[in-house]
């Protein structure tokens, strides 16, 4: 009996004990918060943007300066405590106070202001990233103000201890302003033996440069080693590591942090806070040129702008044509047929986002490697004219919005077949394309009917010639029903799946053989499904529509994993907003001119969020 109990566990079983807590935990319902009132929304809408940004910058600086100088005060004011120094702090504690304070500052305030919290960083954003110069002065004033308030509050909270420390320091003949003295609770001063200003300048410059490079690397969207969740702590640790290494030989690291608290030191401890050993200008000013040097070092030697564009975080100033011209001119793209390519998937963010990388047999990178999926949506249309294979493009679900603009975009380089149930939906687009010198045909097609889809593909091959398909787009919206779930009937519920589930299935089965036959084209043949907000989250009253869109997204992911290794790129393009077309003119009338997405903006990939 006992032997049986000894062998009752399988390899991955947990033994009885504290592990009981694992199976005893159960989910608990969290009561929903009360609804937001219109009064609250109106108030938030009316708040001045500039005021919110300035207060966020001031608050962010406060959030890291306040715990930092409090840790310094805790350490310094208890040197003679009967309990002992180690009971109250050390430079190790001071470093962590600044580290965690910086992380909290970014987490709390960066969503509102961008999270600069350092005048040097603000200036660098203006130099390198296009931050408006007119905002720079008010950001810097706000940052200094935040440090000033932190200094005032710290002095007030430690006032009895500071008064005693002042008396002891004066009685000892040391004065109030020196490293380790009352004024140094707030800002930086050199040691008495550090009379070489050049040495102090170099120390400050190198420390600030180190921090600047780490910050810029963390903010680089092409950096694969930093996630949004880890960036605040990585930046904070850059400061902390410098405190642990160099705080004993006087470092400042931030103009706002030093100047704001130095004003407080001057108020309580005299003007010598600015004149002591002629040092204050180093603590205040050097951070700016050092950070500019650090960011320039990163921009000139480490920045990969092409990778940033490829991840969809930036665009070429001349658009897709400029990007293609650059890559082609630099020899990064195969200009001759590269042969059959392969597609490799890289899974990140809980396998939700998939980045596609295609290489030719020679190992040279093709244009599609560098492009965001929304750019790749039309990259395949870039060099079709003059190609002996004469590939064509197919757009299903053509209407006055996204479908028509996508078809026109492809028609600049390819013959295009436009499919819709109602011919009136594609007739104008076909006429426009033909008038512009392109080739287009319209075919009435019901994507939910297998025979209709098969006949359409047969006609496309006959009228456009060949069996090479460069791109196939599924832009069928389906019937949009907004209705309480308990009032839905079966027919209404199934209508969402009919178009986006069955329709996508039939369309994919019909076009994938053509796409598989086109993998010898210069750019990977592409199957694109256009989704909607409902593909990512099911809203109330949209059970029928959301079910279909979820099914469409799931199908696209499955096809991507099956046909990607075979040379066909599959993307689900989520259009997260209302398209401005005649049918939606009465929607969101009071929401402002930017509430809806223009169809032309969709075809320019500036409004899309892609999940492959």
């Amino acid at each position: 009996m006992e032997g049986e109990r000894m062998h009752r566990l399988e390899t991955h079983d947990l033994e009885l004990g504290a592990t009981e807590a694992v199976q005893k935990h159960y989910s608990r319902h969290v009561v929903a918060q009360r609804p937001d009132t219109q009064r609250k929304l109106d108030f938030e809408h009316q708040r001045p943007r500039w005021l919110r940004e300035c207060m966020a910058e001031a608050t962010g600086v406060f959030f890291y300066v306040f715990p930092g100088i409090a840790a310094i005060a805790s350490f310094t004011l208890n040197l003679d405590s009967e309990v002992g120094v180690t009971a109250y702090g050390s430079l190790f504690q001071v470093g962590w106070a600044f580290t965690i304070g910086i992380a909290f500052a970014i987490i709390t305030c960066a969503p509102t202001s961008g999270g600069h919290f350092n005048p040097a960083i603000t200036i660098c954003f203006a130099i390198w990233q296009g931050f408006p110069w007119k905002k720079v002065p008010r950001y810097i004033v706000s940052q200094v103000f935040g440090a000033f308030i932190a200094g005032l509050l710290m002095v007030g909270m430690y006032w009895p201890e500071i008064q005693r420390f002042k008396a002891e320091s004066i009685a000892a003949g040391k004065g109030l302003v020196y490293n380790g003295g009352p004024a140094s609770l707030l800002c930086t001063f050199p040691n008495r033996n550090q009379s070489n200003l050049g040495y102090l300048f170099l120390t400050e410059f190198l420390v600030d440069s180190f921090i600047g490079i780490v910050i810029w690397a963390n903010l680089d969207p092409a950096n694969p080693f930093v996630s949004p969740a880890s960036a605040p702590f990585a930046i904070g640790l850059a400061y902390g590591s410098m405190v642990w290494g160099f705080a004993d030989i006087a470092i400042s690291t931030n103009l706002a942090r030093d100047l704001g608290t130095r004003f407080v030191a001057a108020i309580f401890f005299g003007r010598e806070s600015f004149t002591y050993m002629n040092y204050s200008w180093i603590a205040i000013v050097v951070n700016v040129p050092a950070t500019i040097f650090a960011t320039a070092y990163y921009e000139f030697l480490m920045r990969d702008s092409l990778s940033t564009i490829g991840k969809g975080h930036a665009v070429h100033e001349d658009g897709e044509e400029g990007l293609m011209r650059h890559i082609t001119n630099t020899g990064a793209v195969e200009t001759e047929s590269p042969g059959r390519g392969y597609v490799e998937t890289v899974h990140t963010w809980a396998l939700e986002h998939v980045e596609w990388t295609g290489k030719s047999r020679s190992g040279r990178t093709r244009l599609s490697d560098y492009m965001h999926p929304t750019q790749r949506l039309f990259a395949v249309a870039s060099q079709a004219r003059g190609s002996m294979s004469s590939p064509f493009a197919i757009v299903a679900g053509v209407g006055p919005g996204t479908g028509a603009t996508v078809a026109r975009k492809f028609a600049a380089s390819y013959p295009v077949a436009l499919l819709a149930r109602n011919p009136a939906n594609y007739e104008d687009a076909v006429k426009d394309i033909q008038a512009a010198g392109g080739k287009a045909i319209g075919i009435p097609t019901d994507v939910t009917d297998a025979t209709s889809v098969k006949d359409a593909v047969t006609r496309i091959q006959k009228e456009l010639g060949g069996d090479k398909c460069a791109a196939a787009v599924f832009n069928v919206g389906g019937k949009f029903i907004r209705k309480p779930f308990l009032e839905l009937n079966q027919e209404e519920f199934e209508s969402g799946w009919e178009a986006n589930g069955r329709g996508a299935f039939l369309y994919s089965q019909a076009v994938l053989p053509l796409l598989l036959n086109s993998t010898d084209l210069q750019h990977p043949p592409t199957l694109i499904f256009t989704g909607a907000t409902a593909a990512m989250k099911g809203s109330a009253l949209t059970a029928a529509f959301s079910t279909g869109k979820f099914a469409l997204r799931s199908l696209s992911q499955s096809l991507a994993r099956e046909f990607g290794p075979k040379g066909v790129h599959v993307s689900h393009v989520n259009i997260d907003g209302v398209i401005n077309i005649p049918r939606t003119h009465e929607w969101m009338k009071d929401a402002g001119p930017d509430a809806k997405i223009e169809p032309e903006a969709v075809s320019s990939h500036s409004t899309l969020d892609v999940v492959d």
Side-chain angles (χ1 to χ4, degrees):
M1 188 70 175
E2 186 64 26
E4 292 180 1
R5 292 185 57 80
M6 288 293 292
H7 296 88
R8 74 191 189 284
L9 299 179
E10 299 295 337
T11 302
H12 299 292
D13 287 346
L14 298 176
E15 181 55 275
L16 185 67
T19 49
E20 279 286 280
V22 175
Q23 62 180 353
K24 288 183 178 180
H25 278 208
Y26 58 91
S27 300
R28 298 183 180 182
H29 174 68
V30 179
V31 179
Q33 64 182 25
R34 67 179 184 182
D36 289 330
T37 64
Q38 187 60 47
R39 181 179 180 181
K40 178 182 178 182
L41 294 175
D42 291 339
F43 167 76
E44 292 177 356
H45 177 71
Q46 293 170 1
R47 293 176 300 183
R49 178 71 188 183
W50 68 267
L51 180 61
R52 295 178 61 221
E53 291 175 342
C54 289
M55 292 308 299
E57 283 296 299
T59 304
V61 173
F62 175 88
F63 263 43
Y64 89 83
V65 172
F66 186 63
I69 60 177
I72 293 173
S74 174
F75 171 53
T76 305
L77 294 175
N78 290 281
L79 287 175
D80 298 327
S81 169
E82 295 180 358
V83 179
V85 174
T86 56
Y88 290 94
S90 64
L91 287 180
F92 186 68
Q93 173 188 303
V94 171
W96 274 112
F98 278 110
T99 295
I100 298 175
I102 289 168
F104 287 165
I106 296 173
I107 294 170
T108 305
C109 302
T112 301
S113 67
H116 298 191
F117 311 140
N118 184 336
I121 294 297
T122 298
I123 292 171
C124 288
F125 272 122
I127 293 174
W128 305 114
Q129 304 293 345
F131 183 75
W133 280 101
K134 66 179 182 180
K135 285 188 175 183
V136 171
R138 63 174 180 245
Y139 263 54
I140 293 177
V141 170
S142 301
Q143 293 157 0
V144 174
F145 177 73
F148 179 79
I149 296 300
L152 282 179
L153 288 180
M154 190 280 290
V155 170
M157 296 170 74
Y158 272 96
W159 185 244
E161 290 80 7
I162 291 176
Q163 284 290 79
R164 186 196 67 196
F165 187 33
K166 284 176 60 179
E168 294 174 354
S169 184
I170 293 173
K174 297 180 180 180
L176 300 177
V177 180
Y178 59 93
N179 189 22
S184 69
L185 301 177
L186 294 159
C187 53
T188 305
F189 297 97
N191 297 319
R192 297 184 186 276
N193 62 348
Q194 291 182 284
S195 58
N196 189 328
L197 294 182
Y199 176 85
L200 291 168
F201 177 96
L202 184 62
T203 299
E204 185 70 36
F205 190 92
L206 293 177
V207 165
D208 296 344
S209 297
F210 177 95
I211 294 173
I213 291 175
V214 174
I215 291 175
W216 226 237
N218 274 271
L219 301 181
D220 186 350
N223 189 338
F225 296 100
V226 182
S227 67
S230 66
F233 298 95
I235 293 172
L237 283 170
Y239 281 89
S241 63
M242 292 297 97
V243 170
W244 296 322
F246 300 97
D248 60 326
I249 54 174
I251 57 171
S252 167
T253 73
N254 188 325
L255 185 159
R257 170 260 184 276
D258 190 90
L259 182 59
T261 54
R262 198 172 292 272
F263 279 132
V264 178
I267 292 172
F268 289 100
F269 306 116
R271 295 175 57 186
E272 191 181 2
S273 298
F274 280 92
T275 61
Y276 181 78
M277 295 180 66
N278 295 319
Y279 167 76
S280 64
W281 70 270
I282 293 177
I284 297 170
V285 175
V286 173
N287 172 247
V288 175
T291 307
I292 293 175
F293 166 79
T295 54
Y297 182 91
Y298 191 90
E299 290 289 336
F300 291 139
L301 297 179
M302 300 184 186
R303 174 76 71 183
D304 185 356
S305 297
L306 205 56
S307 180
T308 304
I309 293 174
K311 292 181 179 293
H313 296 284
V315 295
H316 192 285
E317 61 180 353
D318 294 329
E320 296 169 21
E321 292 183 1
L323 177 62
M324 177 171 289
R325 183 171 60 251
H326 164 75
I327 299 177
T328 303
N329 290 340
T330 56
V333 178
E334 294 281 5
T335 56
E336 299 179 359
S337 178
R340 188 180 183 91
Y342 69 89
V343 179
E344 175 187 356
T345 58
V346 181
H347 304 274
T348 59
W349 293 102
L351 298 180
E352 278 296 322
H353 299 271
V354 180
E355 176 184 333
W356 294 88
T357 305
K359 295 180 183 292
S360 67
R361 286 177 176 175
S362 65
R364 297 180 65 189
T365 306
R366 297 184 304 206
L367 173 65
S368 56
D369 295 323
Y370 295 101
M371 303 193 77
H372 192 262
T374 54
Q375 293 170 315
R376 279 199 296 270
L377 180 64
F378 303 118
V380 293
S382 60
Q383 293 184 354
R385 293 202 182 276
S387 173
M388 294 182 64
S389 60
S390 298
F392 50 79
I394 309 173
V395 182
V398 175
T402 304
T405 57
V406 168
R408 292 188 184 98
K409 189 78 172 185
F410 275 113
S413 300
Y414 291 108
V416 182
L418 291 75
L419 311 183
R421 284 190 302 175
N422 186 353
N425 287 339
Y426 58 66
E427 286 175 347
D428 289 342
V430 170
K431 292 177 182 178
D432 291 344
I433 292 170
Q434 293 175 343
K439 184 175 182 179
I441 60 172
I443 304 175
T445 309
D446 180 0
V447 295
T448 65
D449 182 83
T451 301
S452 179
V453 175
K454 182 179 179 181
D455 291 345
V457 172
T458 300
R459 181 177 167 185
I460 291 170
Q461 292 180 272
K462 180 179 179 180
E463 296 192 25
L464 297 183
D467 56 359
K468 298 285 188 181
C469 182
V473 180
F474 185 83
N475 184 56
V476 176
K479 188 176 181 180
F480 181 74
I481 297 176
R482 186 176 179 85
K483 195 172 183 179
F485 179 76
L486 294 180
E487 297 178 14
L488 283 175
N489 58 46
Q490 182 175 338
E491 181 181 356
E492 289 173 329
F493 180 76
E494 291 178 349
S495 65
W497 180 85
E498 285 287 332
N500 292 286
R502 178 190 295 174
F505 164 75
L506 295 174
Y507 181 77
S508 299
Q509 281 206 329
V511 300
L512 274 168
L514 301 176
L515 296 169
L516 288 169
N517 191 49
S518 306
T519 55
D520 57 346
L521 299 178
Q522 180 165 350
H523 302 295
T526 307
L527 174 60
I528 304 111
F529 300 91
T530 59
T533 305
M536 310 301 293
K537 57 182 180 182
S539 300
L541 309 181
T542 64
F545 186 68
S546 297
T547 301
K549 288 301 181 183
F550 263 79
L552 178 69
R553 177 165 169 254
S554 178
L555 175 65
S556 69
Q557 291 179 336
S558 177
L559 295 181
R561 288 165 173 82
E562 180 177 351
F563 291 96
K566 298 178 181 179
V568 177
H569 177 64
V570 182
S571 289
H572 175 267
V573 180
N574 192 50
I575 304 176
D576 193 9
V578 177
I579 307 296
N580 189 14
I581 56 177
R583 180 165 59 89
T584 64
H585 280 174
E586 298 302 314
W587 299 5
M588 305 167 64
K589 293 181 64 175
D590 301 325
D594 297 327
K596 299 177 185 177
I597 303 172
E598 295 298 327
E600 293 76 13
V602 174
S603 66
S604 297
H605 71 263
S606 59
T607 59
L608 301 180
D609 176 30
V610 175
V611 178
D612 288 348

